Amino acid sequence: MYYITKTMEIAGCHQLRLSYESKCERLHGHNWIVTVHCKSRELNADGMVMDFTQVKERIHGYLDHGNFNELLPFNPTAENLARWICEQVPNCYRVEVQESEGNTAIYEIE
Protein backbone atom coordinates (compact mmCIF):
# COMPACT_ATOMS: atom_id res chain seq x y z
CA MET A 1 0.00 0.00 0.00
CA TYR A 2 1.22 3.49 -0.89
CA TYR A 3 0.28 6.54 1.18
CA ILE A 4 0.54 10.29 0.68
CA THR A 5 -0.32 13.17 2.97
CA LYS A 6 -0.91 16.77 1.88
CA THR A 7 -1.19 19.56 4.46
CA MET A 8 -2.36 23.02 3.48
CA GLU A 9 -3.52 26.24 5.12
CA ILE A 10 -6.84 27.65 3.97
CA ALA A 11 -8.11 31.09 4.93
CA GLY A 12 -11.88 31.10 5.02
CA CYS A 13 -14.92 32.24 6.94
CA HIS A 14 -18.11 30.57 8.01
CA GLN A 15 -21.22 31.17 10.05
CA LEU A 16 -22.64 28.14 11.83
CA ARG A 17 -26.35 27.38 12.07
CA LEU A 18 -26.79 25.85 15.52
CA SER A 19 -29.63 24.64 17.74
CA TYR A 20 -28.28 26.76 20.63
CA GLU A 21 -26.96 30.30 21.04
CA SER A 22 -23.28 30.67 20.23
CA LYS A 23 -20.88 33.37 19.08
CA CYS A 24 -20.09 30.97 16.19
CA GLU A 25 -23.45 31.91 14.67
CA ARG A 26 -21.84 35.21 13.68
CA LEU A 27 -19.69 35.30 10.55
CA HIS A 28 -16.06 34.70 11.51
CA GLY A 29 -12.89 33.38 9.94
CA HIS A 30 -10.11 30.90 10.57
CA ASN A 31 -6.81 29.95 9.05
CA TRP A 32 -7.73 26.29 8.72
CA ILE A 33 -5.02 23.63 8.63
CA VAL A 34 -6.24 20.76 6.46
CA THR A 35 -4.43 17.45 6.16
CA VAL A 36 -5.55 15.05 3.43
CA HIS A 37 -4.48 11.39 3.53
CA CYS A 38 -4.71 9.21 0.41
CA LYS A 39 -3.73 5.60 -0.28
CA SER A 40 -3.57 3.21 -3.19
CA ARG A 41 -2.46 -0.37 -3.76
CA GLU A 42 -0.97 0.66 -7.10
CA LEU A 43 0.65 3.81 -8.42
CA ASN A 44 -0.76 5.64 -11.42
CA ALA A 45 1.08 5.83 -14.76
CA ASP A 46 3.20 8.69 -13.38
CA GLY A 47 4.31 6.66 -10.36
CA MET A 48 2.06 8.48 -7.86
CA VAL A 49 -0.93 7.85 -5.63
CA MET A 50 -2.00 11.35 -6.72
CA ASP A 51 -0.11 14.52 -7.53
CA PHE A 52 0.15 16.74 -4.43
CA THR A 53 -0.62 19.76 -6.61
CA GLN A 54 -3.91 18.21 -7.74
CA VAL A 55 -4.95 17.64 -4.13
CA LYS A 56 -4.22 21.29 -3.34
CA GLU A 57 -6.03 22.58 -6.44
CA ARG A 58 -9.20 20.62 -5.62
CA ILE A 59 -9.43 21.88 -2.04
CA HIS A 60 -7.32 25.01 -1.50
CA GLY A 61 -8.10 26.27 -4.98
CA TYR A 62 -11.83 26.12 -4.29
CA LEU A 63 -12.07 27.15 -0.62
CA ASP A 64 -9.20 29.58 0.05
CA HIS A 65 -10.34 33.10 0.98
CA GLY A 66 -13.96 32.06 0.55
CA ASN A 67 -17.14 32.13 2.56
CA PHE A 68 -17.85 28.46 3.22
CA ASN A 69 -21.57 29.16 3.66
CA GLU A 70 -21.68 30.36 0.06
CA LEU A 71 -19.39 27.66 -1.35
CA LEU A 72 -20.81 24.58 0.37
CA PRO A 73 -24.38 23.20 0.51
CA PHE A 74 -24.30 22.26 4.24
CA ASN A 75 -23.68 23.72 7.69
CA PRO A 76 -19.91 24.28 7.43
CA THR A 77 -18.77 22.75 10.71
CA ALA A 78 -15.23 21.37 10.83
CA GLU A 79 -16.70 17.85 10.87
CA ASN A 80 -18.83 18.42 7.77
CA LEU A 81 -15.92 20.13 6.04
CA ALA A 82 -13.65 17.13 6.73
CA ARG A 83 -16.19 14.73 5.18
CA TRP A 84 -16.71 16.94 2.13
CA ILE A 85 -12.97 17.25 1.50
CA CYS A 86 -12.57 13.48 1.71
CA GLU A 87 -15.29 13.08 -0.94
CA GLN A 88 -13.53 15.51 -3.31
CA VAL A 89 -10.16 13.76 -3.49
CA PRO A 90 -9.69 10.35 -5.16
CA ASN A 91 -8.16 7.67 -2.92
CA CYS A 92 -8.70 9.84 0.17
CA TYR A 93 -9.46 7.88 3.32
CA ARG A 94 -8.83 10.42 6.11
CA VAL A 95 -9.01 14.20 6.52
CA GLU A 96 -8.07 16.33 9.52
CA VAL A 97 -9.45 19.87 9.75
CA GLN A 98 -7.97 22.15 12.40
CA GLU A 99 -9.98 25.35 12.68
CA SER A 100 -7.91 26.74 15.56
CA GLU A 101 -5.20 25.59 17.95
CA GLY A 102 -6.60 22.68 19.93
CA ASN A 103 -9.77 22.25 17.81
CA THR A 104 -9.51 19.52 15.19
CA ALA A 105 -12.16 17.42 13.49
CA ILE A 106 -11.31 14.15 11.74
CA TYR A 107 -13.26 12.22 9.13
CA GLU A 108 -12.07 8.74 8.20
CA ILE A 109 -13.62 6.17 5.90
CA GLU A 110 -14.02 2.91 7.77
Side-chain angles (χ1 to χ4, degrees):
M1 189 68 68
Y2 297 94
Y3 296 88
I4 65 165
T5 301
K6 174 65 178 169
T7 300
M8 62 199 98
E9 185 172 1
I10 299 171
C13 67
H14 67 163
Q15 180 177 11
L16 298 182
R17 296 175 296 279
L18 303 170
S19 62
Y20 57 92
E21 286 190 36
S22 170
K23 64 183 180 180
C24 295
E25 291 179 299
R26 296 191 302 263
L27 186 64
H28 63 284
H30 300 282
N31 286 328
W32 309 77
I33 305 298
V34 174
T35 304
V36 177
H37 302 266
C38 300
K39 66 181 178 178
S40 180
R41 291 196 183 281
E42 297 182 16
L43 300 178
N44 65 20
D46 297 311
M48 303 176 188
V49 172
M50 184 172 183
D51 189 313
F52 294 114
T53 302
Q54 291 176 344
V55 175
K56 184 176 180 180
E57 287 172 356
R58 287 175 185 252
I59 306 308
H60 186 274
Y62 183 70
L63 294 175
D64 191 49
H65 284 80
N67 180 336
F68 296 173
N69 294 83
E70 295 174 358
L71 296 172
L72 304 168
F74 50 80
N75 194 23
T77 63
E79 295 88 342
N80 283 334
L81 187 58
R83 184 194 71 242
W84 179 83
I85 291 169
C86 193
E87 292 169 351
Q88 304 310 302
V89 179
N91 300 316
C92 184
Y93 68 94
R94 178 183 169 102
V95 174
E96 299 152 22
V97 173
Q98 180 183 7
E99 71 174 23
S100 59
E101 187 68 34
N103 295 328
T104 302
I106 299 170
Y107 177 79
E108 185 170 287
I109 295 174
E110 295 182 358

